[in-house]
Amino acid sequence: MELAQAARSQWKSRLGAVLAAAGSAVGLGNIWKFPYLVGANGGAAFVLLYLAFVLLIGIPLIMTEFVVGRKTTRNPGGAFRELAPGTAWVIPGISGVVAGFLILSFYSVVAGWVLRYAVTSLLGALSGLNPEGAAALFTEFIGGTWAPLFWHLLFMALTVYIVAAGVQEGIEKWSKILMPGLFILVIILVIRSLTLPGSHPGIAYYLQPDFSALTGKSVLAALGQMFFSLSLGMGCMITYGSYISRQDSLVKTAGQVGLIDTLVALLAGLVIFPAAFAFGIEPGAGPGLVFITLPAIFAQMPLGQFFACLFFLLLAIAALTSSISLLETVVAYFVDEKDWGRRQAAVVWGGLAFLAGIPSALSQGAVNLTVFGLSFLDAVDYLTSNILLPLGGLLTALFVGWRMRQEDVLAEALQGGGMTTGMAQVWYFLVRTIAPLAIGLIFANAIGLF
Ligand code: PFF
C-alpha cells in the first residue's frame, strides 16, 4: 500500500480532473434514466425538484467527497479507515463497494442494449421505423434470452479489459474528444425534436410544473436519481478527489462537474418529451422510453441511420467511462485493502457482476422475475439508487460534518482557492445540517412515517 501511495498519480490539470469526474457522472443516468423517471413521475415538477437537490445537496456532496479523497489520498474504504481508525466508520466505505458492484450488474445490461442498438442501426435495423415498430423491436429484443446476455457480456468484458489493463487514461483521453461529439449530437436532436409537428405539449409537460403530481415516492426518486447521476454516495468522487492536486480549487471542480452532468440530463429531456408527444408515445412508458422515442426521431431525420449509429456508439462510450468508475471502486478496495492484484480483482469482480446481472437481463420478458412488483432490474436499481447511495451520502455528510475536525475540513475545502471563507461556512452548514436532515426526512416520508 505504501508503494502505491508513493507512486500515486495526479491529474495533470484541473481540466483533466473535471473531465474525468464528468466522465463518471455523465452516462446512462443522464440519457436513459433521467427522461424515463421524469416521465414516470409527472414531468416538470420532478425536474425542478431534481435541480433543487443538485444545488443544495448534490454539488455540496461532490465537494465533500473531494475533501475526504484529497485529504487522505486513498480509496473510499481506506479513507474512512485512516480518518477514524478502528470504528464503525468503515461502513460507508464498504456499502459503497457493495453499491458499486450492484449498480455495475444492471448498468452493463442496459449499456448492452445501447451497444446492440449501435450495431444494428449500422445494419439498417432501425431504418424507417414508426413509433409502434420501434416499441415492438425494443420489446422483442429485451424479452429475448441470448441476445441481451450476449450484449451484457460484451459490455462487461470491455469494462473488465480496461480496468484490468489499467488503461483508463487511454479511454479518458479518447472520451475527452468524443464526449463533446455526444453533446453536439444531443443538441442536433433537441432541434429536430422541437421542430416536429405536435411537439409543443411535450415542452409544456417538461417545463410547466404541476406540483400536485409529486408524491413521497417521486421525491425519493428525484433524490436517488441525483445520487446516481452525479456518481455520489458510493465513494466514487472520493477516489477522483484523491487525484486532485492541492493547487486546484475543489469547489470549482465540483461545481463544473455538477453543471455538465445536469446540462446533459436536461437536454436529454428536451429531446425525449417533445418527440414523445409528437409521436403519441406515453411519457410514463418506463425504462424503454428512450429506446422507443430515439429511433422514432432518427427515422424522421436525413441520414437518420448514420446519426443513430453515431449516437448509440457515443452513448456506449459515455456508459463505459461510467462503468469503469463503478468497477474501479470495487477493484481499488480489493487492491488497496486486501492486497489483491489489479488484474485478478478486475476479472473476478467483473465476472461476478456479469453473473449478478443475468437475472436483471432476463427479467425484461424472458422470465417472470419481480421483486415487490418491480422487475428484477428495476428492483436492484431502486435498492442502490434510492437506498444505498443516499444512505452512503448521509453517512459521508455526517462524518465530515460531525466527526472530522471543523478546522481540518474547512482548510482542505479552501485549499486551492475558488471560495471565500463565508462560502465555505455556507457549504459546511449545508453538509453538516441541511443535507443529512433532507435525506433523513425524504426517507421517512417515503416509508410513510408522516
Ligand atoms: N453516474 C453514472 C450515470 O449517470 O450513468 C452512473 C454511476 C457511475 C453511478 C458511477 C454511480 C457511480 F459511482
Side-chain angles (χ1 to χ4, degrees):
M1 207 157 80
E2 292 314 314
L3 251 185
Q5 296 272 306
R8 214 160 206 293
S9 53
Q10 275 190 357
W11 309 117
K12 290 189 192 63
S13 64
R14 205 172 63 76
L15 182 69
V18 170
L19 290 176
S24 167
V26 175
L28 298 174
N30 309 62
I31 289 180
W32 161 68
K33 208 173 154 194
F34 180 74
Y36 101 66
L37 283 182
V38 172
N41 290 287
F46 182 88
V47 178
L48 273 186
L49 193 65
Y50 178 80
L51 290 179
F53 286 160
V54 169
L55 277 178
L56 288 176
I57 307 176
I59 295 175
L61 280 188
I62 302 182
M63 174 81 190
T64 306
E65 291 202 12
F66 281 173
V67 163
V68 173
R70 192 172 69 176
K71 179 142 189 62
T72 58
T73 60
R74 273 171 203 253
N75 76 80
F80 284 105
R81 177 151 327 142
E82 178 183 311
L83 292 169
T87 65
W89 285 108
V90 290
I91 292 171
I94 291 170
S95 100
V97 174
V98 175
F101 175 79
L102 291 176
I103 295 175
L104 180 62
S105 75
F106 75 83
Y107 201 83
S108 165
V109 170
V110 179
W113 302 348
V114 173
L115 266 186
R116 196 261 185 180
Y117 268 63
V119 172
T120 48
S121 60
L122 194 67
L123 305 175
L126 305 183
S127 113
L129 279 183
N130 59 19
E132 292 75 39
L137 182 81
F138 180 70
T139 317
E140 193 199 312
F141 164 56
I142 63 164
T145 303
W146 297 110
L149 288 181
F150 169 78
W151 295 101
H152 166 43
L153 179 63
L154 184 64
F155 186 83
M156 190 68 84
L158 284 171
T159 306
V160 167
Y161 171 77
I162 293 167
V163 173
V167 291
Q168 276 96 319
E169 278 190 34
I171 169 104
E172 265 153 22
K173 264 187 213 126
W174 273 98
S175 78
K176 277 173 212 171
I177 307 167
L178 294 173
M179 286 310 106
L182 180 66
F183 192 77
I184 293 168
L185 261 183
V186 170
I187 303 266
I188 295 176
L189 287 173
V190 169
I191 296 170
R192 173 66 281 205
S193 182
L194 289 176
T195 51
L196 286 168
S199 63
H200 288 180
I203 306 173
Y205 176 85
Y206 189 48
L207 298 177
Q208 284 175 9
D210 165 15
F211 285 100
S212 66
L214 282 183
T215 62
K217 290 214 160 47
S218 46
V219 176
L220 178 64
L223 181 78
Q225 170 60 9
M226 183 278 282
F227 274 93
F228 185 88
S229 192
L230 294 176
S231 303
L232 277 176
M234 51 164 273
C236 197
M237 292 295 167
I238 294 184
T239 310
Y240 284 98
S242 73
Y243 297 119
I244 299 177
S245 146
R246 295 185 54 81
Q247 269 66 56
D248 287 340
S249 161
L250 292 185
V251 71
K252 280 191 192 162
T253 311
Q256 284 163 1
V257 171
L259 197 73
I260 294 173
D261 188 74
T262 305
L263 194 62
V264 176
L266 288 178
L267 288 174
L270 214 48
V271 174
I272 297 301
F273 293 107
F277 277 76
F279 296 136
I281 297 168
E282 166 59 37
L289 178 66
V290 176
F291 288 93
I292 297 167
T293 313
L294 283 171
I297 304 177
F298 288 121
Q300 302 281 324
M301 282 170 72
L303 296 179
Q305 294 319 293
F306 165 75
F307 279 123
C309 178
L310 195 63
F311 177 84
F312 285 114
L313 205 63
L314 292 175
L315 181 56
I317 294 168
L320 200 55
T321 55
S322 303
S323 66
I324 290 169
S325 72
L326 289 163
L327 182 57
E328 182 65 34
T329 303
V330 183
V331 166
Y333 178 80
F334 282 89
V335 171
D336 288 355
E337 304 295 310
K338 308 273 173 217
D339 282 331
W340 286 36
R342 154 167 291 274
R343 192 173 287 261
Q344 173 199 15
V347 171
V348 169
W349 289 103
L352 290 174
F354 167 74
L355 295 178
I358 291 178
S360 289
L362 297 182
S363 68
Q364 303 300 299
V367 286
N368 186 10
L369 253 184
T370 55
V371 184
F372 296 121
L374 296 172
S375 79
F376 193 84
L377 190 157
D378 292 336
V380 182
D381 184 3
Y382 189 94
L383 167 70
T384 47
S385 304
N386 293 4
I387 300 172
L388 288 183
L389 297 184
L391 210 56
L394 174 70
L395 292 177
T396 310
L398 291 176
F399 183 79
V400 171
W402 298 90
R403 162 86 206 210
M404 284 174 74
R405 283 177 43 206
Q406 183 174 0
E407 306 89 84
D408 291 352
V409 170
L410 288 175
E412 190 64 51
L414 286 164
Q415 171 69 37
M419 175 157 81
T420 61
T421 316
M423 279 163 71
Q425 295 284 358
V426 172
W427 164 74
Y428 190 70
F429 174 70
L430 286 173
V431 171
R432 190 173 148 97
T433 322
I434 301 299
L437 262 181
I439 298 170
L441 288 176
I442 294 166
F443 272 147
N445 186 34
I447 57 171
L449 282 191
F450 301 127

